[in-house]
Amino acid sequence: MSITVEQQQPTANPFQAPRTAHNARRRISNIAIVALSLLATAFAVAVLLFLLLYVLRAGLPYINLDLFTKIPTPNGEPGGGLANSIQGSLILVGLASLFGIPLGLFTGIYLSEFGGRGPIATGVRFLVDVLTGIPTIIFGLFAWIFIVVPQQSFSGLAGGVALGIIMIPIVARTSEVVLRLVPNELREASLALGATESRTILRVVIPSARNGIITGIVLAMARVAGETAPLLMTAFGNPFFNSDITQPMDALPLRIFNFAESPYQAQINQAYAGSLVLIVLILITSFAIRWATGGFKHGGR
Amino acid sequence: MAIEVRNLNVWYGRSQALHDITLTIESQGATAIIGPSGCGKSTFVRCLNRMHEEIAGGRVEGEVLVEGINIYERSIQPVYVRRHIGMVFQRPNPLPTRSIFENVAIGLRLNGLARGDALKEIVERSLTQAALWDEVKDRLNESAGQLSGGQQQRLCIARALAIEPKIILMDEPASALDPISTFQIEDLMRELRKTYPVVIVTHNMQQAARVAEKTVFFLQGRLIEQGETGKFFSRPQKKETEDYISGRFS
């Protein structure tokens, strides 16, 4: 019995992709996608960098101590500062946070922990999403109708309320999303130990989602710190120091808005300096909040 | 603390998961619940501490008497039932961002049962009971997420023990663990069953044979057979049981 041994043909390297049209298309589309996403990223970063550098270049030379201690000079005389605007912005954002954060957070807790997929929660979720998309000037209008008109005066309170309402949907949605990410096993662990639902949420679920919730809050604060439109018809602006929330109040974005269109070069320069201060202020606030709440300690969640 | 289950019917929304279960669990020793996936064995233990109703659509009918008290009585709050009936889950579920110490202490803190030195004492005792103390005593303040899977599961057992439960339920506690960790957990089960009634859900028949005095077989939401473990595996009375334990069951 003879065994025929087949002559082995020298085969091509099996790991070498065959040169077919299909493979060429695959390679090209692969390269195209990578190139496209790199290009888009580069463009976005470039725009942001340009913006930052431009504000830095135009504003930095006019940053001085007076900016933080003095109020604006009348009608474009040189000197003076934006101390009243900085003070006003801090008060307004604080006021907004005072009720925007708890209302948003508890709405988020409701949506994530109690609402589930029920019709009420679905409705609330939809409304919250709609609120996020509404132009912020509408919230200013709301505060104008319900606070400014009855009070017969523009006020810091009205501004704070308008900004607070803007914060609610942002805080609510981010809180809901991060609370949902908390594994159900942790809730079960707590419930199985005989903890009530409220304790489970307060002591187990929220701490686990803490960093995400804080991020949402910081984002919302940063967002409203830069709002101008809703303040035009609520806080209105004030060229003097004012910490009385029933009176018109200044805010950095308002001051920047007014000064940027000013015919006086000194005020235009201060508008740039103010923009820089606003950006830095937001950065400092978010870092401070993260540091104070221990957000830097544990990575991850 | 004997458990008496009478005519237990359980639903997930419209689909019925358990049909008319009647079963007595002795006041001491370990009872293993076995059966193929989806037979309702996990659902069953979750009914013993009223965890089933935490699932959306979960509904329970029938009676579960613990020491003669029906835990599904209207006047009874599930929170207090769970406070006294501890549970260990399939996937180790320590709180990953908290320390080892805090993970054991959390039940006591959530229920306001102990603080200060008393708390430390209970934490040490529970970790010792769970055979974990020697491994973690020098790093109680490290995060629990750093422990291995087996250690995490023993930590969860320590956490359950810390609030001094009267009954311990274990839902496939070793199924996500390696053989050595499984062996340690089984050792622990044999230790615990001397003090507590322990109900163990497992899909591992050898495990049931190793740790349980009594074995119960569930199939498609019905209780098929129960008996003393040795007899159960050597001389099953029902055809379905025999098929299942001899592997002739799909």
Side-chain angles (χ1 to χ4, degrees):
Chain A
M1 200 169 183
S2 72
I3 296 163
T4 47
V5 177
E6 261 180 58
Q7 197 64 44
Q8 282 273 318
Q9 288 292 324
T11 50
N13 179 353
F15 298 114
Q16 181 103 51
R19 291 177 186 280
T20 60
H22 174 70
N23 272 327
R25 258 205 316 280
R26 277 179 19 152
R27 271 170 53 98
I28 291 167
S29 72
N30 200 22
I31 292 167
I33 295 286
V34 172
L36 210 67
S37 44
L38 279 177
L39 230 88
T41 311
F43 182 74
V45 171
V47 169
L48 281 176
L49 272 181
F50 173 77
L51 214 83
L52 271 176
L53 287 176
Y54 189 79
V55 171
L56 209 63
R57 199 174 63 96
L60 199 60
Y62 306 100
I63 300 276
N64 49 37
L65 193 63
D66 281 0
L67 203 70
F68 300 95
T69 53
K70 295 203 170 144
I71 62 174
T73 52
N75 280 349
E77 285 165 37
L82 304 173
N84 60 326
S85 316
I86 296 170
Q87 179 208 31
S89 264
L90 292 176
I91 294 175
L92 285 172
V93 173
L95 213 59
S97 308
L98 211 61
F99 69 99
I101 292 172
L103 282 177
L105 183 56
F106 279 102
T107 308
I109 291 172
Y110 166 75
L111 287 176
S112 153
E113 306 298 312
F114 302 111
R117 306 228 163 273
I120 302 175
T122 310
V124 172
R125 209 168 282 130
F126 176 71
L127 283 178
V128 168
D129 281 345
V130 168
L131 277 180
T132 325
I134 287 180
T136 50
I137 195 158
I138 309 292
F139 296 107
L141 204 62
F142 172 85
W144 183 75
I145 292 168
F146 286 99
I147 300 176
V148 176
V149 173
Q151 257 193 340
Q152 299 195 321
S153 160
F154 294 111
S155 65
L157 180 69
V161 168
L163 296 184
I165 299 171
I166 298 168
M167 286 181 80
I168 294 172
I170 306 174
V171 176
R173 272 309 242 161
T174 48
S175 309
E176 188 208 345
V177 169
V178 295
L179 287 172
R180 269 182 191 284
L181 285 180
V182 174
N184 224 8
E185 280 93 349
L186 297 190
R187 292 184 184 88
E188 285 191 333
S190 171
L191 290 173
L193 290 168
T196 57
E197 208 150 2
S198 61
R199 285 206 168 193
T200 300
I201 291 169
L202 288 178
R203 309 265 308 254
V204 176
V205 180
I206 291 183
S208 302
R210 194 188 53 190
N211 283 6
I213 292 174
I214 291 167
T215 304
I217 289 173
V218 169
L219 270 177
M221 285 173 76
R223 165 86 189 278
V224 299
E227 281 296 339
T228 321
L231 295 181
L232 287 172
M233 54 183 99
T234 52
F236 189 70
N238 189 334
F240 305 106
F241 275 117
N242 171 33
S243 53
D244 178 357
I245 59 168
T246 64
Q247 296 301 314
M249 195 172 267
D250 218 38
L252 267 173
L254 277 179
R255 185 58 50 189
I256 294 165
F257 176 68
N258 287 327
F259 275 12
E261 336 176 274
S262 156
Y264 307 107
Q265 189 57 39
Q267 292 194 335
I268 296 176
N269 291 341
Q270 279 191 332
Y272 279 115
S275 308
L276 189 58
V277 170
L278 187 59
I279 293 172
V280 172
L281 218 60
I282 289 170
L283 273 179
I284 291 175
T285 320
S286 50
F287 273 100
I289 290 176
R290 282 196 177 271
W291 179 77
T293 50
F296 286 131
K297 264 188 272 172
H298 326 270
R301 247 182 271 279
Chain B
M1 283 269 168
I3 308 174
E4 232 186 298
V5 180
R6 286 185 192 157
N7 307 99
L8 191 74
N9 285 287
V10 182
W11 287 265
Y12 287 96
R14 288 216 185 92
S15 72
Q16 190 165 1
L18 289 176
H19 301 264
D20 211 29
I21 307 290
T22 296
L23 171 67
T24 303
I25 291 164
E26 311 299 335
S27 57
Q28 250 187 5
T31 304
I33 315 242
I34 63 167
S37 297
C39 70
K41 53 194 193 299
S42 286
T43 309
F44 176 73
V45 281
R46 292 174 66 94
C47 290
L48 300 183
N49 68 343
R50 298 197 59 172
M51 281 297 281
H52 176 69
E53 61 214 72
E54 292 299 329
I55 296 168
R59 192 158 61 85
V60 179
E61 267 177 26
E63 290 181 342
V64 175
L65 289 95
V66 178
E67 283 293 83
I69 300 160
N70 180 12
I71 60 169
Y72 282 94
E73 196 74 48
R74 262 177 170 276
S75 60
I76 286 186
Q77 289 184 24
V79 167
Y80 292 97
V81 173
R82 296 178 203 138
R83 157 77 188 76
H84 293 290
I85 303 180
M87 187 159 200
V88 178
F89 296 85
Q90 178 169 11
R91 288 233 321 260
N93 57 354
L95 309 176
T97 54
R98 308 239 183 151
S99 68
I100 293 167
F101 182 92
E102 279 306 317
N103 260 281
V104 183
I106 184 141
L108 299 156
R109 290 203 203 272
L110 284 169
N111 292 297
L113 295 174
R115 56 172 63 163
D117 285 343
L119 182 73
K120 279 183 201 155
E121 213 170 281
I122 297 173
V123 169
E124 177 174 349
R125 194 189 63 213
S126 310
L127 283 169
T128 310
Q129 256 182 304
L132 190 61
W133 176 251
D134 289 331
E135 289 163 57
V136 300
K137 66 181 174 206
D138 298 321
R139 46 176 182 148
L140 290 173
N141 291 320
E142 282 175 32
S143 130
Q146 293 168 1
L147 296 175
S148 73
Q151 288 174 324
Q152 288 189 3
Q153 193 62 301
R154 277 179 283 149
L155 184 68
C156 293
I157 293 173
R159 177 174 69 190
L161 293 174
I163 56 171
E164 296 179 27
K166 298 184 172 56
I167 297 166
I168 295 178
L169 310 176
M170 294 181 156
D171 186 0
E172 303 195 22
S175 67
L177 305 179
D178 64 273
I180 291 170
S181 303
T182 302
F183 180 74
Q184 287 170 323
I185 299 278
E186 285 181 9
D187 248 4
L188 198 51
M189 289 172 180
R190 277 189 291 269
E191 202 52 47
L192 292 174
R193 72 181 184 188
K194 293 176 190 161
T195 330
Y196 305 93
V198 182
V199 182
I200 301 151
V201 169
T202 177
H203 55 222
N204 180 336
M205 283 178 274
Q206 287 76 28
Q207 184 171 72
R210 284 192 296 261
V211 300
E213 281 101 345
K214 185 178 168 184
T215 301
V216 182
F217 175 51
F218 275 51
L219 184 62
Q220 291 172 350
R222 288 171 213 278
L223 193 161
I224 304 296
E225 186 169 349
Q226 52 173 312
E228 186 264 312
T229 299
K231 241 167 54 198
F232 179 93
F233 283 108
S234 55
R235 286 188 300 280
Q237 304 295 307
K238 296 268 175 63
K239 174 104 178 31
E240 291 98 321
T241 316
E242 201 187 327
D243 283 352
Y244 182 66
I245 60 182
S246 56
R248 259 179 286 150
F249 194 85
S250 53

